[in-house]
Amino acid sequence: MKQVKIGVGFGLWRLGMPPAETIARVAEHAEDWGLDSFWLSDHLLAPSPELDVVATLSLLASRTSRMKLGPSVLLLNLRHPLMVAKSFASLDYLSNGRMVMAVGTGANLADYAACGIPLEGRGKRLDEGIEVLRTVWRERVASYHGRFFNFDSVTIEPRPAARTNNDFGTMDIWVGGRSDAALKRAARLADGFFASFQTPGEFGASMAKIRDYAAGYGRANAHIESGLILLCRISSSRERALEEMRPMLSAMGRGAEAYLERTAYGSPNDVIARLGEYVAKGLDKFVLWPIAEPDAWPKQIELVGREIASHYASAR
């Protein structure tokens, strides 16, 4: 059986956010529970509380020693890429090379207006942002000249640890999104594709397009990984899990059914069976995002580790 890695999502606190000490305590135990990684949502204007990505990653890095850490996905367009390059280079140094970057344009266009960023050209702006990150992480003295970003002789030290697992030699950069433009971006510029809330069929179709696009960009043999974010609720049965998710599903209104189709819920065996549908499509990296009120959140994280991640670890 192929190695399947299970991480968990932080954020999307639609049912309330747990206290800071609870988040720190969960992080301290997460590796013992068998979890592979932590991934943080990034929203500026959101209907629920959201913690700053860099600040929270600093906390998680200080309470863990082996887990991968990253945003899913960072709204790079809302920030100057040199500032992001500096922040994540520092995080990589403090975490001993455990950072993974994932970026996207974001779905809430009001964020752009609030930050004074024009919507026009946001795809090209993201492309340039990715190129800036690669350039200053790889070169000791870096220059870049594009439509949106221009600078000469910039040095960022310490730079992230060099990577040998990808085609670019820098910290991994994954691309999120479901639009055709996002799939092309992943094929052309990324080390991985981060899918969010997709059915097995949708994920399979996305990866097929990425492979086709990659060949067109001269990357037919490129190492492009893939991961998937799924909402999750673990309980004694599917019926019980569904009842426990009811407050959040009710808040979603008419969109609840679509989310439920893209959620792994029920007993541990139910969740493992659901993930198996994606594994059959070639997926081996999952981020399970618990649907949980603050009091239930720590136990849900523990169950993801002890019941789901440990299952795959023992099956190797």
Side-chain angles (χ1 to χ4, degrees), residues 14-313:
R14 292 175 181 169
L15 299 179
M17 189 165 62
E21 57 268 26
T22 300
I23 293 174
R25 187 173 68 252
V26 165
E28 290 168 354
H29 292 289
E31 290 172 332
D32 292 336
W33 295 337
L35 293 168
D36 170 75
S37 52
F38 281 136
W39 298 90
L40 279 65
S41 61
D42 181 33
H43 298 93
L44 178 62
L45 307 177
S48 54
E50 284 286 348
L51 294 168
D52 176 74
V53 167
V54 173
T56 309
L57 285 171
S58 297
L59 170 68
L60 298 177
S62 72
R63 304 302 177 99
T64 59
S65 60
R66 302 184 304 276
M67 297 177 68
K68 296 290 186 180
L69 307 167
S72 60
V73 294
L74 188 82
L75 304 181
L76 183 58
N77 280 349
L78 302 187
R79 303 158 169 95
H80 195 289
L82 283 179
M83 301 297 291
V84 173
K86 179 67 173 181
S87 294
F88 278 82
S90 298
L91 285 168
D92 199 61
Y93 179 82
L94 295 172
S95 66
N96 293 314
R98 292 186 286 131
M99 297 304 303
V100 179
M101 174 64 82
V103 299
T105 58
N108 188 356
L109 301 185
D111 287 345
Y112 285 77
C115 292
I117 305 295
L119 292 176
E120 180 185 1
R122 60 185 182 275
K124 177 60 177 173
R125 180 186 290 271
L126 181 58
D127 292 347
E128 286 193 13
I130 293 171
E131 292 169 356
V132 168
L133 295 181
R134 299 272 196 208
T135 300
V136 299
W137 284 343
R138 189 167 46 224
E139 301 176 14
R140 189 180 67 82
V141 181
S143 299
Y144 185 87
H145 300 286
R147 173 183 169 188
F148 296 99
F149 306 109
N150 288 274
F151 54 85
D152 287 295
S153 303
V154 167
T155 296
I156 288 180
E157 293 287 352
R159 283 173 287 154
R163 306 304 204 256
T164 59
N165 63 294
N166 64 47
D167 299 328
F168 295 94
T170 70
M171 183 191 307
D172 287 38
I173 299 180
W174 290 39
V175 165
R178 62 178 64 229
S179 69
D180 205 51
L183 302 183
K184 290 179 178 178
R185 184 170 297 114
R188 185 164 57 92
L189 297 173
D191 303 304
F193 170 60
F194 224 140
S196 297
F197 314 126
Q198 293 191 350
T199 65
E202 290 168 342
F203 169 78
S206 293
M207 285 307 301
K209 286 185 177 181
I210 288 173
R211 285 190 288 271
D212 286 344
Y213 290 142
Y217 292 127
R219 299 188 71 202
N221 298 318
H223 183 59
I224 302 175
E225 298 186 79
S226 59
L228 176 72
I229 298 170
L230 284 176
L231 296 175
C232 176
R233 181 75 185 206
I234 301 175
S235 190
S236 56
S237 66
R238 284 178 64 83
E239 294 73 22
R240 181 63 182 271
L242 189 60
E243 187 60 32
E244 292 169 350
M245 292 189 295
R246 191 69 63 189
M248 184 169 178
L249 295 174
S250 298
M252 289 179 175
R254 297 177 64 180
E257 184 175 345
Y259 267 95
L260 199 58
E261 292 176 359
R262 296 156 179 83
T263 300
Y265 65 97
S267 69
N269 286 338
D270 290 326
V271 172
I272 290 166
R274 180 59 169 161
L275 298 188
E277 299 175 30
Y278 293 92
V279 173
K281 297 287 185 179
L283 189 62
D284 58 6
K285 295 176 180 64
F286 295 90
V287 177
L288 298 183
W289 217 296
I291 298 176
E293 58 278 19
D295 289 345
W297 179 78
K299 187 61 178 179
Q300 284 294 304
I301 299 290
E302 182 177 358
L303 287 170
V304 171
R306 292 192 184 280
E307 299 293 342
I308 311 303
S310 295
H311 164 81
Y312 289 107

